[in-house]
Amino acid sequence: MNITKPYASTLDLIGHTPLVLLKGPSQAAGCEIWGKCEFANPGSSVKDRAALYIIRDAEARGEIEPGGTVVEGTAGNTGIGIALVANARGYKTVIVMPDNQSKEKMDTLRALGAELVLVPPTKFADPSHFVHTSRRLAEETPGAVWANQFDNIANRKAHIEGTAPELWEQLEGRIDGFTCAAGTGGTIAGVGMGLKAFDENVRIALTDPHGAALYNYYATGELKAEGSSVAEGIGQGRITANLEGAPIDDQYRISDEEGLHWVGRLLCEEGLCLGLSSGINVAGAVELGRKLAAEGRKDARVATILCDTGFRYLSTLYNAEWLRSKNLPVFEWL
Ligand code: PMP
């Protein structure tokens, strides 16, 4: 195992995450399925990368000064990343979040010193939606900058310049496919663009949860959502600025049950405790791997994102009562 060199700043701990071969998914797909361990970031999710790039971009543009405030609307993980980076850079953090997200994320944000504003979940068109509320708060707060993760392309740049070259190097310049779900779309668009710059033949697939509109958009051109999902952090209903121009070759739609199947198997067979978006990503990677294997590429290599730690969902995904209340299967060991 490689031991990385010591870092001069805590912010350098963001990114350069490990990549691991997933045995069960590889067997199911008939080719190699690799997981990028984004839960290994300091804030335990992939969103630390976007937080760092967004704050550095605001600094480079002169939009924030020492003692200033970063305001954001987020399902939680971006807020956690922003709070950590803001603390390290001497800024305050205000986070607006829908009140149906996991209690662990709310407790974590408060523990990190962020000011938390909870709003009821509602349609994007509603002015009280968490994204619009966060923009208004940023406008009203002196010395504040709005992170605007959905439409600020500093977000996907973190993946063009970070995640994609890391994957390319870790797999020694041979990747056949990449897939993940979209929240802001920063990860799928940025990794897709970054990998295509190395090799335009890398197959990029969007893995969409139910209740999101992107599967239909990439399949038929129409933004249309069907069904619903309890997965946090993913599921988009519009083409965000981060998604504009994303090089999507293929698309899959994955149910919460399929995602949970992989969350359960990765935990009890491989010792990885993950959130539901990771399970949905792995289910998508298995589909992409099967497709490539069926095309005769038995040695295909597919990568996906293990977005965040399951410890963030002890009161939901890993709680029998909660699973039952959502009509989802309960892990047998619970
Ligand atoms: N999974 C989780 C748990 C997340 O919090 C997010 C971020 N919203 C994603 C996946 C999706 O990442 P992105 O915003 O880059 O599309």
Side-chain angles (χ1 to χ4, degrees), residues 279-292:
I280 287 175
N281 283 353
V282 168
V286 169
E287 285 215 20
L288 177 55
R290 279 187 183 141
K291 196 161 176 189
L292 292 170

Side-chain angles (χ1 to χ4, degrees), residues 46-47 77 155 159 181-187 232-234 277 307-308 313:
V46 64
K47 297 304 303 206
N77 280 330
N155 169 359
H159 301 285
T184 64
T187 312
E232 295 184 24
I234 56 172
S277 67
C307 315
D308 69 353
Y313 306 98

